[in-house]
Amino acid sequence: MNWTKKSWRNYPIKQQPVYPDEQELNQILNRLEKLPPLVFAGEVRNLQKALTRVSRGEAFLLQGGDCAESFENFGANNIRDMFKMLLQMAIVLTFAGGCPVVKIGRIAGQFAKPRSSDFEELNGVKLPSYRGDIINGFEFDEKARIANPQRMLEAYYQSATTLNLLRGFARGGLADLHEVHRWNLDFLKKNELHKQYIDISEKISQALAFMEACGINTNNTPSLREVAIYTSHEALLLPYEEALTRVDSLSDEIYDCSAHMLWIGERTRALNEAHVHFLSGIKNPMGVKVGPRVSASEIVALSRALNPSNEEGRLNIIIRMGADIIAQRLPEIFKELKKEGLNLIYSIDPMHGNTVKAGNYKTREFDKIMQEVRYFFEIARAEGIYPGGVHLEMTGQDVTECTGGASNITEESLKKRYETQCDPRLNADQALELAFLIADLVKKAKK
Ligand code: PEP
Ligand code: CO
């Protein structure tokens, strides 16, 4: 195969912006190409090792974060709260689910969005759609909607500073298991979930005290005070991904150094098109989103293209069919796939197949989200497949974007704090609630 990091340019491609000034675009891409990689290939290999455990049924993958990161909501508190949220959910899954958890954020690069329409219309005015902050502006205004390549640089630097803080949190003390009480976000403290969480933290503190008495402590056991949090995003804007793609000097292999893991979205996964071609040449672990219309043979073909040597821990099939369809479609797909002997990680994205309109808002019902997760675990169990992970859109903030959950957000209350730039996210309460429910399912799946 004649693959280079530029060869995707010879293939049909979907969901790309048109930049009005090609010279400016090329200047910026040249500049990006010279900037340091955001992640190091060694870290990416560590992620693949961790995911190998998932593919063997020995660990569970938790992937989550914003639908779209934004320049405006960028700040230390948001990053800290997302970090705490991931840790909280992971500890619930580890403790209540009895399973090690691989943690991957949709963060530090999740800026480009595929859109169902190229144009948006409001009060009779028609403008190009918003495609994510790395491409154009969210405001409904003609100038903002022009694709601006300078935004790639801003996204790059925002990703670098986000990663910097995440690495600091992961190794500098915030992730220390002794801090488990403090991962709780303040506004959660009032409700029932908080009590369940406190209960887990107390048991962990007791276990730590016991281990300390036996001579196991943070000085001799770094895993008690550090975590590995990896980054991921949809590899949608290929000029940007190309510019961050580098040859690793240790292994001579090619990595996309914009994130540890990349995925291809449901709208851009056609076999002979640019996105699949581009990802087929890089060594990172990767995902492909598959919706209700996918067939088993398409998944087999994607797997042959993206993971030709059938490596473990490399390819994640992210199922997003919707709670009303998954039970009809998935059993037969799993049956077919089981015959193929492919090394695949299967995870469930219960968000993107369950989006509905409520007045002017896009929303998702907590019960539908949970229902799709439940079906996924049940179908996997019936077909003898390991349910390897979840993929969620969530935030560490107290937003009102998805309805339902223990705090019972209604359609009327969506407007209170509807802040997403794209799809509705689980708020911190709902994400923690879901983690407890999933922990139960993971425990059963491990039995
Ligand atoms: C997303 O993950 O935000 C997304 C657009 O997903 P999908 O490709 O599954 O629609
Ligand atoms: Co989304």
Side-chain angles (χ1 to χ4, degrees), residues 67 106 113-114 234 263 265-267 289 320 352 393:
C67 178
R106 283 175 66 116
K113 298 310 302 171
E234 178 173 349
W263 77 85
E266 160 76 354
R267 295 168 187 78
K289 296 277 206 95
R320 34 85 90 222
H352 288 89
E393 288 184 343

Side-chain angles (χ1 to χ4, degrees), residues 326-379:
I326 189 168
Q328 256 159 269
R329 299 283 295 113
L330 192 59
E332 151 216 355
I333 291 175
F334 272 169
K335 268 194 193 79
E336 289 294 310
L337 287 172
K338 242 198 126 183
K339 297 183 203 149
E340 300 288 332
L342 297 168
N343 284 317
L344 295 171
I345 294 169
Y346 296 101
S347 52
I348 183 74
D349 163 359
M351 314 301 295
H352 288 89
N354 294 308
T355 315
V356 290
K357 271 262 180 201
N360 288 329
Y361 294 104
K362 268 205 273 183
T363 188
R364 292 158 172 160
E365 253 175 77
F366 185 83
D367 286 347
K368 287 271 178 185
I369 292 169
M370 193 52 221
Q371 187 57 263
E372 188 169 2
V373 174
R374 256 197 215 104
Y375 278 138
F376 171 70
F377 275 81
E378 279 169 20
I379 297 163

Side-chain angles (χ1 to χ4, degrees), residues 182-365:
R182 278 193 237 170
W183 300 342
N184 217 349
L185 296 154
D186 284 340
F187 50 84
L188 282 177
K189 290 192 175 149
K190 46 191 181 319
N191 67 30
E192 190 52 37
L193 282 172
H194 176 69
K195 293 197 197 91
Q196 280 186 54
Y197 183 73
I198 291 290
D199 192 42
I200 290 186
S201 359
E202 268 157 22
K203 287 182 182 143
I204 290 171
S205 300
Q206 283 167 13
L208 287 171
F210 170 72
M211 279 153 60
E212 187 115 20
C214 303
I216 302 165
N217 55 45
T218 50
N219 291 329
N220 58 28
T221 314
S223 62
L224 295 178
R225 67 175 139 83
E226 289 175 8
V227 290
I229 288 214
Y230 298 99
T231 60
S232 68
H233 61 258
E234 178 173 349
L236 182 65
L237 184 61
L238 291 189
Y240 178 83
E241 302 303 332
E242 173 193 309
L244 270 294
T245 294
R246 312 289 162 87
V247 177
D248 168 40
S249 56
L250 292 180
S251 64
D252 276 338
E253 288 168 334
I254 300 170
Y255 289 87
D256 181 346
C257 298
S258 69
H260 301 106
M261 177 198 175
L262 286 313
W263 77 85
I264 308 180
E266 160 76 354
R267 295 168 187 78
T268 50
R269 60 170 173 75
L271 206 55
N272 295 313
E273 295 190 0
H275 289 86
V276 171
H277 176 77
F278 177 76
L279 277 264
S280 74
I282 61 165
K283 284 294 285 181
N284 306 55
M286 56 187 69
V288 187
K289 296 277 206 95
V290 297
R293 279 174 299 276
V294 77
S295 65
S297 58
E298 262 179 291
I299 296 177
V300 173
L302 281 164
S303 171
R304 302 238 154 91
L306 295 170
N307 187 21
S309 35
N310 199 22
E311 278 172 51
E312 284 181 289
R314 185 170 147 81
L315 186 57
N316 182 196
I317 302 298
I318 307 166
I319 295 151
R320 34 85 90 222
M321 298 189 165
D324 298 334
I325 297 181
I326 189 168
Q328 256 159 269
R329 299 283 295 113
L330 192 59
E332 151 216 355
I333 291 175
F334 272 169
K335 268 194 193 79
E336 289 294 310
L337 287 172
K338 242 198 126 183
K339 297 183 203 149
E340 300 288 332
L342 297 168
N343 284 317
L344 295 171
I345 294 169
Y346 296 101
S347 52
I348 183 74
D349 163 359
M351 314 301 295
H352 288 89
N354 294 308
T355 315
V356 290
K357 271 262 180 201
N360 288 329
Y361 294 104
K362 268 205 273 183
T363 188
R364 292 158 172 160
E365 253 175 77

Side-chain angles (χ1 to χ4, degrees), residues 43-44 46-48 50-51 54 60-66 82-83 86-87 89-90 101-108 166 228-233 259-263 285-287 313-314 316 318 345 347 388-394:
E43 297 173 311
V44 178
N46 288 342
L47 172 60
Q48 185 162 349
L51 289 174
V54 176
F60 189 74
L61 168 61
L62 170 65
Q63 185 172 22
D66 280 320
M82 185 69 82
F83 181 86
L86 278 166
L87 286 191
M89 294 172 80
V101 174
V102 181
K103 298 166 271 300
I104 308 183
R106 283 175 66 116
I107 196 168
L166 289 174
I229 288 214
Y230 298 99
T231 60
S232 68
H233 61 258
H260 301 106
M261 177 198 175
L262 286 313
W263 77 85
M286 56 187 69
R314 185 170 147 81
N316 182 196
I318 307 166
I345 294 169
S347 52
V390 284
H391 182 117
L392 303 173
E393 288 184 343
M394 59 191 219

